[in-house]
Amino acid sequence: IFEKIQVSQEHLYSLPNKFFDYIHAGIPVLSSRAVEIERLIQSYGIGDFIDSFDPRVIAEKIQEIGANTSQYEIWKSHTLKAALELNWENEQKTLVDFMQQLS
């Protein structure tokens, strides 16, 4: 029934707030391969990907993660570093600098 994930351009380049909520809660991320999400998951080593929205495929991936607790703990520990860097306090500096360049 379900094929590979078909996404719109908006989905492909999205970076939802819940992604950061998971990181700040110390929860490794399981996501589709949206461009920015994939870049951050790989850069920080904080999770894995699904390539299908088929519930069976998702369930299998969750079971695979549950069976590999050592990998889960590694991802979880990496969320701590990611949370220190991926936060509003750091991002606001970028925004302020950008706004100052406009004036």
Side-chain angles (χ1 to χ4, degrees):
I1 295 174
F2 295 89
E3 297 294 325
K4 289 263 187 201
I5 297 172
Q6 301 295 321
V7 297
S8 66
Q9 289 291 335
E10 291 82 12
H11 176 91
L12 189 61
Y13 293 99
S14 69
L15 196 51
N17 289 335
K18 68 182 172 182
F19 176 81
F20 299 100
D21 293 341
Y22 294 146
I23 292 169
H24 287 266
I27 301 170
V29 179
L30 180 60
S31 176
S32 60
R33 292 183 182 272
V35 174
E36 287 301 309
I37 292 174
E38 183 172 9
R39 181 181 68 80
L40 292 171
I41 288 175
Q42 289 178 340
S43 294
Y44 289 97
I46 56 174
D48 205 356
F49 305 97
I50 56 169
D51 293 317
S52 170
F53 284 138
D54 181 331
R56 289 172 292 216
V57 173
I58 295 170
E60 288 171 6
K61 180 58 91 169
I62 292 170
Q63 289 175 337
E64 178 185 313
I65 291 168
N68 191 348
T69 55
S70 61
Q71 179 62 62
Y72 182 85
E73 290 301 321
I74 290 169
W75 289 335
K76 187 175 178 178
S77 70
H78 291 176
T79 63
L80 300 174
K81 179 182 180 210
L84 291 174
E85 295 178 16
L86 301 173
N87 59 59
W88 173 243
E89 287 76 19
N90 290 336
E91 292 301 314
Q92 75 179 353
K93 295 172 193 169
T94 304
L95 180 60
V96 168
D97 290 345
F98 173 75
M99 297 298 283
Q100 287 176 341
Q101 290 176 3
L102 293 177
S103 55

